[in-house]
Amino acid sequence: MSTPQPDVDLYLHVRVLISIILGLSVTRLVSGVARFIQHPGRHRIWWIHLAWVGWALLNVLTLWWWEFRLSLVTHWSFALYFFICIYASMYYFLSVLLFPDDLQGYDGYKDYFLSRRVWFFGFVALTEALDVVDTWIKGTEHLQSLGPEYWIRIGGFLVFCAVAAKTRNATFHGLFVLGALVFEASFFSRNYFSLS
């Protein structure tokens, strides 16, 4: 009995669209940060907002790298293709929420971010939930290889996002984003740098 072979042409077709969507996300995040250099006094910067920008960029780059594992999928369908497009698009939504077209009506990024926190953390929670499906698509063996830490990470993010959506407390937001950055960097370095 032969092992099913991945449909390489179809995967390459899907990979191009994923790359476009994630590339737009990176562009939005990097150009948003570049605006601070271009016009340093135009808008008030908030370090917590910038830390979430760093978290989003880290996640987009690692997702882009790790989606290579989709090359092992042997049976592509429109539903799977649609899901992957929606999942990648979540990062573009986050990027646009972090860097809107203008800040008219807001007193800097702190005011803007806190006023849009329900939307932002709602999309972060949705993205984390979609990550479970994306990880499962890459194989149950892969999902199990991430161990209980993966489930703790997802559950923790969902709980903290629910709290962050409700509170304006800067201390909580600061601790959450610092913890998220440290944990994500640690998790990705331990689990994803082994892919060659």
Side-chain angles (χ1 to χ4, degrees):
M1 185 177 235
S2 64
T3 305
Q5 295 298 312
D7 188 339
V8 176
D9 291 335
L10 188 53
Y11 167 68
L12 291 175
H13 180 71
V14 172
R15 189 175 73 179
V16 168
L17 185 57
I18 294 170
S19 295
I20 291 169
I21 295 168
L22 295 178
L24 287 170
S25 303
V26 170
T27 301
R28 186 77 176 212
L29 293 169
V30 172
S31 66
V33 172
R35 270 188 258 157
F36 296 141
I37 298 168
Q38 294 169 339
H39 305 286
R42 184 174 287 177
H43 299 293
R44 291 184 185 171
I45 298 171
W46 192 37
W47 75 269
I48 292 173
H49 167 263
L50 277 179
W52 279 113
V53 170
W55 176 88
L57 187 58
L58 173 66
N59 276 270
V60 169
L61 294 175
T62 52
L63 172 68
W64 204 341
W65 171 253
W66 199 242
E67 288 305 279
F68 177 77
R69 196 161 176 87
L70 288 173
S71 64
L72 302 177
V73 173
T74 57
H75 299 304
W76 280 91
S77 65
F78 181 78
L80 177 57
Y81 160 77
F82 187 73
F83 170 79
I84 296 298
C85 289
I86 293 297
Y87 179 48
S89 296
M90 291 299 102
Y91 285 101
Y92 184 71
F93 284 126
L94 288 173
S95 301
V96 171
L97 283 171
L98 285 166
F99 286 112
D101 291 330
D102 70 64
L103 285 180
Q104 188 174 353
Y106 298 100
D107 185 27
Y109 277 95
K110 179 178 182 180
D111 183 39
Y112 167 77
F113 184 82
L114 290 175
S115 72
R116 292 290 169 253
R117 69 188 184 281
V118 173
W119 283 101
F120 179 75
F121 290 109
F123 274 109
V124 170
L126 177 59
T127 303
E128 291 295 317
L130 292 176
D131 185 72
V132 174
V133 178
D134 180 70
T135 304
W136 174 75
I137 286 169
K138 294 168 186 154
T140 53
E141 197 174 289
H142 170 61
L143 183 59
Q144 292 171 350
S145 74
L146 297 176
E149 180 185 9
Y150 176 75
W151 295 106
I152 293 168
R153 173 181 154 251
I154 297 294
F157 253 91
L158 295 179
V159 169
F160 287 131
C161 281
V163 174
K166 293 201 175 284
T167 185
R168 294 178 63 91
N169 184 291
T171 303
F172 174 83
H173 282 281
L175 291 173
F176 181 22
V177 73
L178 290 176
L181 275 169
V182 168
F183 189 83
E184 292 292 319
S186 170
F187 184 83
F188 288 129
S189 66
R190 288 180 286 112
N191 289 286
Y192 294 169
F193 285 162
S194 62
L195 183 63
S196 51

